Amino acid sequence: MAKRPNKKRKKEYEVAVEHGCILCKILYGVKTECEIHHLTGAGLALRNEEKFIPLCVHHHRGQGGVHHNTKDFEDKYGTQEELWEIYQQEIKERI
């Protein structure tokens, strides 16, 4: 069970929600409501509490989402790590 976010993490989540889905912003230039996606790796369903990206429902858990088929998602949009790096560049002044 994940522990409750501390004050710093809550602020980071707020910034992510204000930013909107990273892919909708890149692909369509629009801000959409988002969910927090914690990066996962090695097919082990291990969740990285430190690294997360904002994704809309479609890109997070929809038919084309990272949780539907991670390999297809990463082939189409880039790795989760690459998206995290892009997101970090976009928000670096806000945290």
Side-chain angles (χ1 to χ4, degrees):
M1 184 159 158
K3 62 182 181 179
R4 296 183 63 120
N6 61 24
K7 205 175 209 182
K8 178 179 184 264
R9 184 60 33 91
K10 283 182 183 178
K11 173 65 176 165
E12 292 171 344
Y13 288 164
E14 288 173 13
V15 169
V17 169
E18 289 171 12
H19 182 276
C21 175
I22 185 71
L23 284 172
C24 287
K25 188 170 184 183
I26 291 168
L27 298 172
Y28 312 115
V30 298
K31 178 183 172 189
T32 54
E33 289 187 21
C34 68
E35 303 174 338
I36 302 297
H37 169 68
H38 293 88
L39 276 60
T40 56
L44 302 173
L46 297 175
R47 180 170 121 150
N48 186 328
E49 294 294 330
E50 301 297 316
K51 292 183 177 181
F52 55 85
I53 53 176
L55 294 173
C56 65
V57 171
H58 172 74
H59 289 120
H60 190 210
R61 52 192 167 90
Q63 188 70 23
V66 66
H67 286 294
H68 182 73
N69 187 320
T70 303
K71 182 182 180 331
D72 286 350
F73 176 89
E74 290 187 342
D75 287 348
K76 187 172 185 178
Y77 303 117
T79 67
Q80 296 171 69
E81 188 74 30
E82 290 168 339
L83 293 172
W84 180 79
E85 289 173 10
I86 292 167
Y87 172 65
Q88 291 303 301
Q89 286 298 312
E90 291 187 5
I91 61 140
K92 66 182 172 186
E93 294 90 30
R94 300 184 64 202
I95 300 255

